[in-house]
Amino acid sequence: LEVGGTVEDQGDAFGDLGVLFILIVILVYIVMATQIESLLFPFIIMFTIPFAFTGVFLALWLTSTPLSLIALIGAIMLVGIVTKNGIVMVDYMNLLIERGSGVFDAVIAGGKSRLRPVLMTSFTTVLGMLPLAIGTGAGSETWQPMGIAVIGGLTCSTLLTLFIVPVLYSILVNRAQRKEREKAARLAVQHQSSNH
């Protein structure tokens, strides 16, 4: 048996989009790593992307919308939109730590200070996609899945970004600082022993 016609075309298109998604994730990671000058922080920021996809599939399931090519394009668009919220929070937390704050204080202050910008950018995108998701005009069923996918993914990832990014940030930065302190202590001990 061989599958052909529209199903075959759809399979090819889904495969192409999968490759595109992987490329986009790699490119976004590289850009963030060069801008932030760290390999750790882009990982923290991009950790919210899987949760965006959870929101996409949940929204499609709740609205009984089939997973189409347009819905997947909406999901891929989310990679850029979702990481923006994480960048806003992590960048501010880094700034506070550079100014001498403790990790815990920086996470609390960063979360409080960046709550409004994160919610504002998410709400504006969700409200902008609402007419597309509700669309009742001729041909609206073509673009409707994109609106639903973006709204679901962005809502889910925004709510989780506010909790997951600070938690991950505090765990990983605390661990990195502890390793640095241990390294400094070892070097000090070696220095003392070489002086004796």
Side-chain angles (χ1 to χ4, degrees):
L1 286 176
E2 196 175 296
V3 176
T6 314
V7 177
E8 188 182 12
D9 294 343
Q10 192 180 29
D12 292 343
F14 278 18
D16 292 344
L17 279 180
V19 172
L20 183 68
F21 171 72
I22 292 163
L23 280 173
I24 288 171
V25 168
I26 292 167
L27 281 171
V28 168
Y29 184 86
I30 290 168
V31 168
M32 281 198 292
T34 51
Q35 288 296 314
I36 303 173
E37 294 177 0
S38 162
L39 295 174
L40 177 69
F41 297 128
F43 168 73
I44 296 170
I45 293 163
M46 295 186 80
F47 198 76
T48 52
I49 292 172
F51 299 105
F53 280 91
T54 307
V56 167
F57 296 127
L58 200 63
L60 291 173
W61 177 70
L62 287 172
T63 56
S64 302
T65 309
L67 179 65
S68 63
L69 203 62
I70 301 295
L72 275 185
I73 291 169
I76 287 173
M77 277 168 46
L78 280 171
V79 174
I81 302 169
V82 165
T83 49
K84 181 185 77 240
N85 289 339
I87 291 167
V88 167
M89 290 180 81
V90 168
D91 193 49
Y92 190 67
M93 290 171 192
N94 283 346
L95 184 71
L96 291 175
I97 285 178
E98 280 170 24
R99 288 179 180 169
S101 286
V103 176
F104 188 71
D105 294 333
V107 166
I108 298 279
K112 273 184 186 173
S113 170
R114 290 293 171 257
L115 176 66
R116 260 176 62 194
V118 165
L119 288 178
M120 274 161 45
T121 53
S122 296
F123 280 144
T124 50
T125 310
V126 165
L127 291 173
M129 283 289 172
L130 210 55
L132 200 64
I134 297 170
T136 51
S140 62
E141 63 280 347
T142 308
W143 296 102
Q144 211 171 17
M146 183 189 280
I148 292 166
V150 171
I151 288 172
L154 195 56
T155 306
C156 191
S157 74
T158 300
L159 293 172
L160 289 165
T161 296
L162 296 171
F163 298 104
I164 288 168
V165 168
V167 169
L168 252 184
Y169 184 90
S170 57
I171 291 169
L172 294 173
V173 172
N174 267 326
R175 187 177 292 172
Q177 286 185 349
R178 198 182 314 122
K179 280 183 180 174
E180 276 179 29
R181 282 197 296 270
E182 286 170 5
K183 193 176 174 184
R186 272 201 307 272
L187 286 171
V189 169
Q190 286 173 359
H191 189 67
Q192 282 177 347
S193 60
S194 64
N195 283 346
H196 289 310

